[in-house]
Amino acid sequence: MAIPGFEIGIIGAGDMGMLYARRFKQAGYIVNICDTPERYDELVVKHSSLGINILRDGYAVSRRSDYIVYSVPAVTIGKIVEEYGRATKVGAIVAGQTSVKTPEIEAFEAHLPEDVHIVTCHSMHGPNIDTKGQPLAVIRHRSSDAQYARALEVLGALESRMIFLTYEEHDRITADTQAATHLSFISLGTAWSYQGYHPWLNPQFISGINNVKVAMALRIYASKWHVYAGLAIMNPLAKKQLQCFVDSMTDLYKHMVAGKKQEFRDLVYQAADFIFGKDRNHKKILLDDEILDQLSLSQVPKEQSRANSHLSLLSAAVCWYRMGMSPYDNLICQTPPFRMWLGIVEYLFCNKEMLEESIETALEDRYTQAEDLVFYTAVTGWGQCIALGSFEGYRERFEKTAEFLGHKLEEGKDLSTMILKKLTDKDAS
């Protein structure tokens, strides 16, 4: 039930902004939305039938709205709040939808009037997933009790599962759950493009957990580059984990090519014992064969599949072990890619035969070692780009890989959406 006469403003009519606009409109709210002034006519033509108020700019949205959401990239949040924050309606509530909250809060504190309340949020999923039942981080930064209660009432229209955090806690958890996860998936895509082959034609990526890698990589590359660049580059906690992931992979790969078999095994099993315990028969993500078999884009018969070292998954486990971090502790704020990432790491490490095959392949198979060299190169390249803080470099690398994967991006996104929905439905049952 909408609050009578209450108007919600959204600055930024991208995919997430429009998702919010539709949900709030469906709940009965008056919704005001804008994007850059040059997109005004386009938005009127495209969205006028939705029954929302399409305004020319953030000034118009800010002056009349009671709850304002800045749905803009993290890299531009400071500039946009500086531009429109001064026009915020007296007593209004302001939120942001960026994936990194520290620069967002800094922008709010610097540019919003003191009589404005700050109750920000972050839907921990992409625009192609229904908000219902998904985790929603809610951050009360500066607000009266009455306006905080009103903000929660408004956000309740999303029907999400609210998680209450400080902005510092949010950035730590998103670093833990998203940094290495995204690096792994985007590096897979880049490695495939380096070698000029599509994974659905490669015998190493045609079954089981390899299907998940392919589908989730395609899902990410079907999205906007800035979604992932902002988290990786602007969150200092993310950089720490990214470097640990790169270092973990470096050590594992050096053991592989140097023939240090025992050192390789010791490191993998130390990580396994730390994360999953000695008894690894009790999986928590419940990623089963039935689900995995539905995630296939492969054009190669399953019986022609070839063993894979799963170096990316081994490196993730070693990274978590070295950081002293249990990934299960962060499921409270899980994102769909992280849930799938942890699910396939768990699937590998809790299957004794599969883990042994992975280790033996890494240590003995020259073909796999050559393939992993390209993946290792992709990971270190992305790591250097992020360490340098290069948004332009990130965009160029991302868009070049997305172009290579082109015609399969939407199909991969649809398949990953289906599997994520099945996992959500399983949790609810």
Side-chain angles (χ1 to χ4, degrees):
M1 185 73 176
I3 302 170
F6 196 90
E7 299 193 18
I8 295 175
I10 301 171
I11 297 175
D15 294 338
M16 285 302 295
M18 289 308 304
L19 174 65
Y20 268 40
R22 290 187 179 94
R23 287 306 304 256
F24 287 131
K25 179 62 181 177
Q26 290 169 5
Y29 283 102
I30 300 168
V31 177
N32 311 309
I33 194 167
C34 73
D35 205 273
T36 54
E38 56 267 24
R39 289 197 65 208
Y40 173 74
D41 292 335
E42 172 196 339
L43 293 179
V44 170
V45 172
K46 192 174 181 180
H47 299 303
S48 58
S49 62
L50 297 178
I52 60 178
N53 300 320
I54 299 170
L55 306 181
R56 286 197 173 274
D57 55 35
Y59 294 116
V61 170
S62 296
R63 288 183 62 191
R64 63 178 288 179
S65 302
D66 301 292
Y67 188 93
I68 302 160
V69 180
Y70 283 83
S71 187
V72 300
V75 66
T76 61
I77 185 73
K79 179 180 178 181
I80 294 173
V81 176
E82 182 179 12
E83 179 72 19
Y84 300 128
R86 71 193 81 172
T88 306
K89 182 177 179 179
V90 173
I93 308 165
V94 174
Q97 243 287 43
T98 66
S99 57
V100 187
K101 290 304 176 188
T102 298
E104 178 183 294
I105 292 296
E106 289 173 350
F108 288 164
E109 290 181 338
H111 304 299
L112 292 178
E114 292 184 2
D115 57 21
V116 169
H117 305 262
I118 302 172
V119 183
T120 193
C121 62
H122 180 203
S123 288
M124 308 289 283
H125 58 86
N128 299 300
I129 294 179
D130 188 2
T131 59
K132 186 174 182 179
Q134 294 296 327
L136 172 68
V138 178
I139 299 164
R140 178 183 184 177
H141 183 68
R142 187 179 81 195
S143 177
S144 68
D145 290 344
Q147 288 296 76
Y148 179 56
R150 180 155 286 192
L152 295 184
E153 186 175 354
V154 170
L155 292 172
L158 300 174
E159 299 183 272
S160 298
R161 176 170 52 85
M162 295 187 194
I163 302 154
F164 303 98
L165 304 167
T166 65
Y167 74 90
E168 297 96 340
E169 290 170 336
H170 170 276
D171 284 357
R172 178 187 59 78
I173 292 174
T174 53
D176 288 348
T177 57
Q178 298 182 38
T181 304
H182 296 162
L183 177 62
S184 300
F185 285 129
I186 63 176
S187 296
L188 283 168
T190 299
W192 299 328
S193 70
Y194 280 171
Q195 299 183 91
Y197 70 66
H198 293 109
W200 47 90
L201 300 175
N202 187 312
Q204 283 196 315
F205 293 96
I206 65 173
S207 63
I209 57 180
N210 293 303
N211 294 332
V212 178
K213 295 179 190 177
V214 174
M216 294 307 295
L218 292 175
R219 180 184 186 85
I220 287 176
Y221 277 108
S223 302
K224 304 289 178 59
W225 68 272
H226 64 75
V227 174
Y228 305 100
L231 168 70
I233 294 174
M234 300 185 72
N235 188 336
L237 298 175
K239 290 186 177 181
K240 179 181 178 182
Q241 187 180 117
L242 289 172
Q243 189 57 54
C244 182
F245 181 82
V246 173
D247 292 344
S248 299
M249 176 170 290
T250 298
D251 290 342
L252 285 171
Y253 191 74
K254 288 173 68 176
H255 291 335
M256 286 166 58
V257 298
K260 295 184 176 180
K261 300 179 181 181
Q262 193 58 50
E263 290 88 341
F264 186 95
R265 284 182 173 278
D266 288 346
L267 190 52
V268 169
Y269 277 103
Q270 286 166 9
D273 291 344
F274 173 78
I275 298 168
F276 303 104
K278 296 288 186 181
D279 179 9
R280 293 192 277 276
N281 295 319
H282 305 291
K283 296 189 292 184
K284 300 180 182 179
I285 304 297
L286 301 177
L287 197 60
D288 55 34
D289 292 325
E290 179 185 355
I291 290 178
L292 289 173
D293 286 343
Q294 295 177 25
L295 263 178
S296 180
L297 295 171
S298 178
Q299 298 173 23
V300 180
K302 186 175 181 179
E303 58 270 17
Q304 295 181 19
S305 64
R306 183 167 185 159
N308 193 313
S309 70
H310 301 299
L311 179 60
S312 59
L313 308 186
L314 301 180
S315 301
V318 171
C319 174
W320 293 332
Y321 160 60
R322 286 179 165 177
M323 294 192 70
M325 182 189 102
S326 170
Y328 292 106
D329 292 343
N330 293 315
L331 284 176
I332 187 174
C333 272
Q334 62 181 287
T335 60
F338 178 71
R339 180 175 176 79
M340 293 303 294
W341 185 245
L342 177 55
I344 58 178
V345 174
E346 177 190 79
Y347 191 92
L348 173 64
F349 275 82
C350 293
N351 184 320
K352 183 178 179 180
E353 291 75 19
M354 182 179 289
L355 182 59
E356 270 301 310
E357 180 185 70
S358 168
I359 293 171
E360 284 297 314
T361 302
L363 295 174
E364 304 295 345
D365 190 324
R366 291 294 187 184
Y367 174 85
T368 295
Q369 290 175 0
E371 291 284 302
D372 284 342
L373 172 60
V374 182
F375 177 62
Y376 170 70
T377 302
V379 169
T380 55
W382 276 107
Q384 290 168 355
C385 175
I386 292 165
L388 291 171
S390 175
F391 282 97
E392 185 59 26
Y394 195 106
R395 182 188 66 78
E396 290 181 6
R397 292 173 65 90
F398 190 97
E399 291 181 348
K400 184 177 181 180
T401 302
E403 182 180 1
F404 174 78
L405 298 170
H407 66 288
K408 283 285 188 179
L409 292 179
E410 289 302 315
E411 188 176 349
K413 183 174 68 175
D414 291 343
L415 278 171
S416 58
T417 298
M418 177 191 70
I419 201 69
L420 290 166
K421 184 177 187 304
K422 286 183 177 293
L423 284 175
T424 299
D425 293 343
K426 178 179 284 190
D427 288 344
S429 63

PDB file of all heavy atoms in Angstrom, residues 30-59:
ATOM      1  N   ILE A  30       3.645   7.577  -6.890  1.00  0.00           N
ATOM      2  CA  ILE A  30       3.947   8.541  -7.947  1.00  0.00           C
ATOM      3  C   ILE A  30       5.453   8.473  -8.172  1.00  0.00           C
ATOM      4  O   ILE A  30       6.238   8.619  -7.233  1.00  0.00           O
ATOM      5  CB  ILE A  30       3.539   9.968  -7.539  1.00  0.00           C
ATOM      6  CG1 ILE A  30       2.039  10.027  -7.246  1.00  0.00           C
ATOM      7  CG2 ILE A  30       3.940  10.983  -8.612  1.00  0.00           C
ATOM      8  CD1 ILE A  30       1.610  11.319  -6.554  1.00  0.00           C
ATOM      9  N   VAL A  31       5.872   8.228  -9.399  1.00  0.00           N
ATOM     10  CA  VAL A  31       7.292   8.043  -9.703  1.00  0.00           C
ATOM     11  C   VAL A  31       7.756   9.113 -10.689  1.00  0.00           C
ATOM     12  O   VAL A  31       7.158   9.288 -11.753  1.00  0.00           O
ATOM     13  CB  VAL A  31       7.560   6.641 -10.292  1.00  0.00           C
ATOM     14  CG1 VAL A  31       9.037   6.494 -10.664  1.00  0.00           C
ATOM     15  CG2 VAL A  31       7.155   5.557  -9.295  1.00  0.00           C
ATOM     16  N   ASN A  32       8.816   9.805 -10.315  1.00  0.00           N
ATOM     17  CA  ASN A  32       9.451  10.801 -11.173  1.00  0.00           C
ATOM     18  C   ASN A  32      10.841  10.290 -11.549  1.00  0.00           C
ATOM     19  O   ASN A  32      11.591   9.853 -10.677  1.00  0.00           O
ATOM     20  CB  ASN A  32       9.595  12.137 -10.437  1.00  0.00           C
ATOM     21  CG  ASN A  32       8.304  12.574  -9.779  1.00  0.00           C
ATOM     22  OD1 ASN A  32       7.248  12.608 -10.413  1.00  0.00           O
ATOM     23  ND2 ASN A  32       8.364  12.903  -8.488  1.00  0.00           N
ATOM     24  N   ILE A  33      11.196  10.366 -12.817  1.00  0.00           N
ATOM     25  CA  ILE A  33      12.486   9.831 -13.238  1.00  0.00           C
ATOM     26  C   ILE A  33      13.117  10.725 -14.300  1.00  0.00           C
ATOM     27  O   ILE A  33      12.412  11.409 -15.058  1.00  0.00           O
ATOM     28  CB  ILE A  33      12.334   8.390 -13.771  1.00  0.00           C
ATOM     29  CG1 ILE A  33      13.692   7.696 -13.896  1.00  0.00           C
ATOM     30  CG2 ILE A  33      11.565   8.360 -15.093  1.00  0.00           C
ATOM     31  CD1 ILE A  33      13.607   6.193 -14.113  1.00  0.00           C
ATOM     32  N   CYS A  34      14.438  10.725 -14.318  1.00  0.00           N
ATOM     33  CA  CYS A  34      15.162  11.468 -15.349  1.00  0.00           C
ATOM     34  C   CYS A  34      16.455  10.741 -15.662  1.00  0.00           C
ATOM     35  O   CYS A  34      16.884   9.850 -14.929  1.00  0.00           O
ATOM     36  CB  CYS A  34      15.475  12.895 -14.894  1.00  0.00           C
ATOM     37  SG  CYS A  34      16.800  12.968 -13.649  1.00  0.00           S
ATOM     38  N   ASP A  35      17.056  11.141 -16.752  1.00  0.00           N
ATOM     39  CA  ASP A  35      18.406  10.705 -17.076  1.00  0.00           C
ATOM     40  C   ASP A  35      19.143  11.964 -17.517  1.00  0.00           C
ATOM     41  O   ASP A  35      18.792  13.071 -17.095  1.00  0.00           O
ATOM     42  CB  ASP A  35      18.383   9.616 -18.163  1.00  0.00           C
ATOM     43  CG  ASP A  35      19.616   8.718 -18.105  1.00  0.00           C
ATOM     44  OD1 ASP A  35      20.629   9.087 -18.724  1.00  0.00           O
ATOM     45  OD2 ASP A  35      19.565   7.684 -17.430  1.00  0.00           O
ATOM     46  N   THR A  36      20.148  11.855 -18.343  1.00  0.00           N
ATOM     47  CA  THR A  36      20.811  13.055 -18.850  1.00  0.00           C
ATOM     48  C   THR A  36      19.824  13.828 -19.716  1.00  0.00           C
ATOM     49  O   THR A  36      18.959  13.230 -20.379  1.00  0.00           O
ATOM     50  CB  THR A  36      22.045  12.673 -19.676  1.00  0.00           C
ATOM     51  OG1 THR A  36      21.654  11.750 -20.706  1.00  0.00           O
ATOM     52  CG2 THR A  36      23.100  12.006 -18.801  1.00  0.00           C
ATOM     53  N   PRO A  37      19.903  15.156 -19.711  1.00  0.00           N
ATOM     54  CA  PRO A  37      18.924  15.964 -20.459  1.00  0.00           C
ATOM     55  C   PRO A  37      18.776  15.564 -21.921  1.00  0.00           C
ATOM     56  O   PRO A  37      17.664  15.608 -22.472  1.00  0.00           O
ATOM     57  CB  PRO A  37      19.478  17.381 -20.321  1.00  0.00           C
ATOM     58  CG  PRO A  37      20.208  17.359 -19.012  1.00  0.00           C
ATOM     59  CD  PRO A  37      20.832  15.993 -18.934  1.00  0.00           C
ATOM     60  N   GLU A  38      19.867  15.146 -22.550  1.00  0.00           N
ATOM     61  CA  GLU A  38      19.779  14.780 -23.968  1.00  0.00           C
ATOM     62  C   GLU A  38      18.984  13.496 -24.210  1.00  0.00           C
ATOM     63  O   GLU A  38      18.596  13.202 -25.344  1.00  0.00           O
ATOM     64  CB  GLU A  38      21.174  14.651 -24.583  1.00  0.00           C
ATOM     65  CG  GLU A  38      22.088  13.676 -23.894  1.00  0.00           C
ATOM     66  CD  GLU A  38      22.958  14.334 -22.831  1.00  0.00           C
ATOM     67  OE1 GLU A  38      22.557  15.396 -22.311  1.00  0.00           O
ATOM     68  OE2 GLU A  38      24.035  13.775 -22.523  1.00  0.00           O
ATOM     69  N   ARG A  39      18.716  12.731 -23.166  1.00  0.00           N
ATOM     70  CA  ARG A  39      17.922  11.513 -23.317  1.00  0.00           C
ATOM     71  C   ARG A  39      16.442  11.735 -23.035  1.00  0.00           C
ATOM     72  O   ARG A  39      15.638  10.792 -23.110  1.00  0.00           O
ATOM     73  CB  ARG A  39      18.435  10.414 -22.369  1.00  0.00           C
ATOM     74  CG  ARG A  39      19.779   9.807 -22.728  1.00  0.00           C
ATOM     75  CD  ARG A  39      19.973   8.486 -21.983  1.00  0.00           C
ATOM     76  NE  ARG A  39      19.016   7.486 -22.409  1.00  0.00           N
ATOM     77  CZ  ARG A  39      18.581   6.478 -21.632  1.00  0.00           C
ATOM     78  NH1 ARG A  39      19.007   6.379 -20.379  1.00  0.00           N
ATOM     79  NH2 ARG A  39      17.709   5.596 -22.092  1.00  0.00           N
ATOM     80  N   TYR A  40      16.049  12.953 -22.740  1.00  0.00           N
ATOM     81  CA  TYR A  40      14.661  13.225 -22.337  1.00  0.00           C
ATOM     82  C   TYR A  40      13.660  12.765 -23.391  1.00  0.00           C
ATOM     83  O   TYR A  40      12.725  12.012 -23.090  1.00  0.00           O
ATOM     84  CB  TYR A  40      14.484  14.714 -22.046  1.00  0.00           C
ATOM     85  CG  TYR A  40      13.044  15.108 -21.795  1.00  0.00           C
ATOM     86  CD1 TYR A  40      12.410  14.771 -20.607  1.00  0.00           C
ATOM     87  CD2 TYR A  40      12.317  15.793 -22.772  1.00  0.00           C
ATOM     88  CE1 TYR A  40      11.085  15.117 -20.373  1.00  0.00           C
ATOM     89  CE2 TYR A  40      10.996  16.150 -22.553  1.00  0.00           C
ATOM     90  CZ  TYR A  40      10.383  15.806 -21.353  1.00  0.00           C
ATOM     91  OH  TYR A  40       9.075  16.135 -21.144  1.00  0.00           O
ATOM     92  N   ASP A  41      13.837  13.194 -24.623  1.00  0.00           N
ATOM     93  CA  ASP A  41      12.882  12.841 -25.681  1.00  0.00           C
ATOM     94  C   ASP A  41      12.833  11.333 -25.893  1.00  0.00           C
ATOM     95  O   ASP A  41      11.756  10.754 -26.106  1.00  0.00           O
ATOM     96  CB  ASP A  41      13.249  13.538 -26.992  1.00  0.00           C
ATOM     97  CG  ASP A  41      13.054  15.051 -26.914  1.00  0.00           C
ATOM     98  OD1 ASP A  41      12.225  15.498 -26.094  1.00  0.00           O
ATOM     99  OD2 ASP A  41      13.726  15.774 -27.671  1.00  0.00           O
ATOM    100  N   GLU A  42      13.979  10.689 -25.850  1.00  0.00           N
ATOM    101  CA  GLU A  42      14.041   9.231 -26.003  1.00  0.00           C
ATOM    102  C   GLU A  42      13.242   8.531 -24.907  1.00  0.00           C
ATOM    103  O   GLU A  42      12.483   7.584 -25.180  1.00  0.00           O
ATOM    104  CB  GLU A  42      15.500   8.777 -25.956  1.00  0.00           C
ATOM    105  CG  GLU A  42      15.689   7.275 -25.920  1.00  0.00           C
ATOM    106  CD  GLU A  42      17.092   6.872 -25.478  1.00  0.00           C
ATOM    107  OE1 GLU A  42      18.018   7.702 -25.574  1.00  0.00           O
ATOM    108  OE2 GLU A  42      17.266   5.727 -25.015  1.00  0.00           O
ATOM    109  N   LEU A  43      13.399   8.985 -23.675  1.00  0.00           N
ATOM    110  CA  LEU A  43      12.694   8.366 -22.551  1.00  0.00           C
ATOM    111  C   LEU A  43      11.187   8.575 -22.659  1.00  0.00           C
ATOM    112  O   LEU A  43      10.407   7.671 -22.327  1.00  0.00           O
ATOM    113  CB  LEU A  43      13.207   8.928 -21.230  1.00  0.00           C
ATOM    114  CG  LEU A  43      14.660   8.593 -20.862  1.00  0.00           C
ATOM    115  CD1 LEU A  43      15.027   9.253 -19.540  1.00  0.00           C
ATOM    116  CD2 LEU A  43      14.870   7.093 -20.776  1.00  0.00           C
ATOM    117  N   VAL A  44      10.783   9.749 -23.115  1.00  0.00           N
ATOM    118  CA  VAL A  44       9.355  10.012 -23.278  1.00  0.00           C
ATOM    119  C   VAL A  44       8.744   9.032 -24.271  1.00  0.00           C
ATOM    120  O   VAL A  44       7.679   8.447 -24.032  1.00  0.00           O
ATOM    121  CB  VAL A  44       9.124  11.473 -23.732  1.00  0.00           C
ATOM    122  CG1 VAL A  44       7.664  11.667 -24.147  1.00  0.00           C
ATOM    123  CG2 VAL A  44       9.488  12.441 -22.615  1.00  0.00           C
ATOM    124  N   VAL A  45       9.410   8.845 -25.389  1.00  0.00           N
ATOM    125  CA  VAL A  45       8.910   7.923 -26.412  1.00  0.00           C
ATOM    126  C   VAL A  45       8.894   6.485 -25.891  1.00  0.00           C
ATOM    127  O   VAL A  45       7.940   5.735 -26.099  1.00  0.00           O
ATOM    128  CB  VAL A  45       9.775   8.017 -27.693  1.00  0.00           C
ATOM    129  CG1 VAL A  45       9.391   6.915 -28.680  1.00  0.00           C
ATOM    130  CG2 VAL A  45       9.629   9.384 -28.333  1.00  0.00           C
ATOM    131  N   LYS A  46       9.949   6.111 -25.181  1.00  0.00           N
ATOM    132  CA  LYS A  46      10.138   4.719 -24.781  1.00  0.00           C
ATOM    133  C   LYS A  46       9.298   4.313 -23.578  1.00  0.00           C
ATOM    134  O   LYS A  46       8.825   3.169 -23.496  1.00  0.00           O
ATOM    135  CB  LYS A  46      11.619   4.497 -24.482  1.00  0.00           C
ATOM    136  CG  LYS A  46      12.032   3.050 -24.326  1.00  0.00           C
ATOM    137  CD  LYS A  46      13.551   2.945 -24.191  1.00  0.00           C
ATOM    138  CE  LYS A  46      14.007   1.506 -24.058  1.00  0.00           C
ATOM    139  NZ  LYS A  46      15.492   1.426 -23.930  1.00  0.00           N
ATOM    140  N   HIS A  47       9.093   5.245 -22.621  1.00  0.00           N
ATOM    141  CA  HIS A  47       8.506   4.843 -21.340  1.00  0.00           C
ATOM    142  C   HIS A  47       7.241   5.608 -20.933  1.00  0.00           C
ATOM    143  O   HIS A  47       6.741   5.406 -19.821  1.00  0.00           O
ATOM    144  CB  HIS A  47       9.548   5.010 -20.226  1.00  0.00           C
ATOM    145  CG  HIS A  47      10.769   4.178 -20.403  1.00  0.00           C
ATOM    146  ND1 HIS A  47      10.730   2.808 -20.532  1.00  0.00           N
ATOM    147  CD2 HIS A  47      12.087   4.529 -20.472  1.00  0.00           C
ATOM    148  CE1 HIS A  47      11.957   2.343 -20.660  1.00  0.00           C
ATOM    149  NE2 HIS A  47      12.797   3.349 -20.648  1.00  0.00           N
ATOM    150  N   SER A  48       6.711   6.459 -21.795  1.00  0.00           N
ATOM    151  CA  SER A  48       5.545   7.260 -21.397  1.00  0.00           C
ATOM    152  C   SER A  48       4.331   6.395 -21.080  1.00  0.00           C
ATOM    153  O   SER A  48       3.465   6.783 -20.288  1.00  0.00           O
ATOM    154  CB  SER A  48       5.198   8.265 -22.495  1.00  0.00           C
ATOM    155  OG  SER A  48       4.940   7.589 -23.724  1.00  0.00           O
ATOM    156  N   SER A  49       4.259   5.201 -21.652  1.00  0.00           N
ATOM    157  CA  SER A  49       3.108   4.327 -21.419  1.00  0.00           C
ATOM    158  C   SER A  49       3.113   3.698 -20.029  1.00  0.00           C
ATOM    159  O   SER A  49       2.116   3.105 -19.613  1.00  0.00           O
ATOM    160  CB  SER A  49       3.069   3.213 -22.475  1.00  0.00           C
ATOM    161  OG  SER A  49       4.230   2.397 -22.379  1.00  0.00           O
ATOM    162  N   LEU A  50       4.214   3.831 -19.292  1.00  0.00           N
ATOM    163  CA  LEU A  50       4.305   3.212 -17.967  1.00  0.00           C
ATOM    164  C   LEU A  50       3.556   3.987 -16.887  1.00  0.00           C
ATOM    165  O   LEU A  50       3.383   3.487 -15.778  1.00  0.00           O
ATOM    166  CB  LEU A  50       5.778   3.067 -17.557  1.00  0.00           C
ATOM    167  CG  LEU A  50       6.650   2.154 -18.425  1.00  0.00           C
ATOM    168  CD1 LEU A  50       8.097   2.159 -17.913  1.00  0.00           C
ATOM    169  CD2 LEU A  50       6.104   0.733 -18.439  1.00  0.00           C
ATOM    170  N   GLY A  51       3.181   5.212 -17.200  1.00  0.00           N
ATOM    171  CA  GLY A  51       2.473   6.017 -16.213  1.00  0.00           C
ATOM    172  C   GLY A  51       3.380   6.683 -15.197  1.00  0.00           C
ATOM    173  O   GLY A  51       2.933   7.076 -14.118  1.00  0.00           O
ATOM    174  N   ILE A  52       4.654   6.812 -15.528  1.00  0.00           N
ATOM    175  CA  ILE A  52       5.591   7.517 -14.650  1.00  0.00           C
ATOM    176  C   ILE A  52       5.871   8.902 -15.226  1.00  0.00           C
ATOM    177  O   ILE A  52       5.693   9.146 -16.424  1.00  0.00           O
ATOM    178  CB  ILE A  52       6.907   6.728 -14.492  1.00  0.00           C
ATOM    179  CG1 ILE A  52       7.595   6.530 -15.845  1.00  0.00           C
ATOM    180  CG2 ILE A  52       6.637   5.382 -13.837  1.00  0.00           C
ATOM    181  CD1 ILE A  52       8.918   5.795 -15.761  1.00  0.00           C
ATOM    182  N   ASN A  53       6.306   9.813 -14.362  1.00  0.00           N
ATOM    183  CA  ASN A  53       6.601  11.176 -14.787  1.00  0.00           C
ATOM    184  C   ASN A  53       8.055  11.255 -15.256  1.00  0.00           C
ATOM    185  O   ASN A  53       8.972  11.102 -14.456  1.00  0.00           O
ATOM    186  CB  ASN A  53       6.375  12.156 -13.639  1.00  0.00           C
ATOM    187  CG  ASN A  53       4.944  12.136 -13.147  1.00  0.00           C
ATOM    188  OD1 ASN A  53       4.006  12.042 -13.935  1.00  0.00           O
ATOM    189  ND2 ASN A  53       4.759  12.213 -11.832  1.00  0.00           N
ATOM    190  N   ILE A  54       8.239  11.488 -16.530  1.00  0.00           N
ATOM    191  CA  ILE A  54       9.587  11.602 -17.077  1.00  0.00           C
ATOM    192  C   ILE A  54       9.949  13.082 -17.118  1.00  0.00           C
ATOM    193  O   ILE A  54       9.319  13.876 -17.823  1.00  0.00           O
ATOM    194  CB  ILE A  54       9.668  10.968 -18.475  1.00  0.00           C
ATOM    195  CG1 ILE A  54       9.325   9.472 -18.364  1.00  0.00           C
ATOM    196  CG2 ILE A  54      11.061  11.167 -19.074  1.00  0.00           C
ATOM    197  CD1 ILE A  54       9.136   8.785 -19.688  1.00  0.00           C
ATOM    198  N   LEU A  55      10.954  13.455 -16.335  1.00  0.00           N
ATOM    199  CA  LEU A  55      11.339  14.850 -16.185  1.00  0.00           C
ATOM    200  C   LEU A  55      12.673  15.106 -16.877  1.00  0.00           C
ATOM    201  O   LEU A  55      13.406  14.184 -17.233  1.00  0.00           O
ATOM    202  CB  LEU A  55      11.405  15.214 -14.707  1.00  0.00           C
ATOM    203  CG  LEU A  55      10.129  14.901 -13.898  1.00  0.00           C
ATOM    204  CD1 LEU A  55      10.302  15.323 -12.449  1.00  0.00           C
ATOM    205  CD2 LEU A  55       8.900  15.581 -14.519  1.00  0.00           C
ATOM    206  N   ARG A  56      12.989  16.392 -17.072  1.00  0.00           N
ATOM    207  CA  ARG A  56      14.140  16.747 -17.895  1.00  0.00           C
ATOM    208  C   ARG A  56      15.482  16.530 -17.208  1.00  0.00           C
ATOM    209  O   ARG A  56      16.471  16.198 -17.860  1.00  0.00           O
ATOM    210  CB  ARG A  56      14.042  18.207 -18.356  1.00  0.00           C
ATOM    211  CG  ARG A  56      12.998  18.408 -19.449  1.00  0.00           C
ATOM    212  CD  ARG A  56      13.189  19.716 -20.178  1.00  0.00           C
ATOM    213  NE  ARG A  56      12.270  19.790 -21.308  1.00  0.00           N
ATOM    214  CZ  ARG A  56      12.512  19.305 -22.514  1.00  0.00           C
ATOM    215  NH1 ARG A  56      13.673  18.697 -22.740  1.00  0.00           N
ATOM    216  NH2 ARG A  56      11.630  19.412 -23.481  1.00  0.00           N
ATOM    217  N   ASP A  57      15.532  16.725 -15.886  1.00  0.00           N
ATOM    218  CA  ASP A  57      16.830  16.610 -15.224  1.00  0.00           C
ATOM    219  C   ASP A  57      16.657  16.353 -13.735  1.00  0.00           C
ATOM    220  O   ASP A  57      15.533  16.296 -13.215  1.00  0.00           O
ATOM    221  CB  ASP A  57      17.682  17.873 -15.457  1.00  0.00           C
ATOM    222  CG  ASP A  57      16.972  19.148 -15.047  1.00  0.00           C
ATOM    223  OD1 ASP A  57      16.213  19.125 -14.052  1.00  0.00           O
ATOM    224  OD2 ASP A  57      17.166  20.173 -15.715  1.00  0.00           O
ATOM    225  N   GLY A  58      17.783  16.212 -13.046  1.00  0.00           N
ATOM    226  CA  GLY A  58      17.769  15.923 -11.628  1.00  0.00           C
ATOM    227  C   GLY A  58      17.246  17.060 -10.771  1.00  0.00           C
ATOM    228  O   GLY A  58      16.790  16.823  -9.643  1.00  0.00           O
ATOM    229  N   TYR A  59      17.301  18.297 -11.290  1.00  0.00           N
ATOM    230  CA  TYR A  59      16.717  19.412 -10.546  1.00  0.00           C
ATOM    231  C   TYR A  59      15.216  19.208 -10.407  1.00  0.00           C
ATOM    232  O   TYR A  59      14.645  19.349  -9.317  1.00  0.00           O
ATOM    233  CB  TYR A  59      16.991  20.739 -11.259  1.00  0.00           C
ATOM    234  CG  TYR A  59      18.432  21.148 -11.302  1.00  0.00           C
ATOM    235  CD1 TYR A  59      19.105  21.244 -12.517  1.00  0.00           C
ATOM    236  CD2 TYR A  59      19.134  21.441 -10.142  1.00  0.00           C
ATOM    237  CE1 TYR A  59      20.436  21.616 -12.579  1.00  0.00           C
ATOM    238  CE2 TYR A  59      20.469  21.816 -10.188  1.00  0.00           C
ATOM    239  CZ  TYR A  59      21.117  21.904 -11.407  1.00  0.00           C
ATOM    240  OH  TYR A  59      22.432  22.270 -11.457  1.00  0.00           O
TER     241      TYR A  59
END
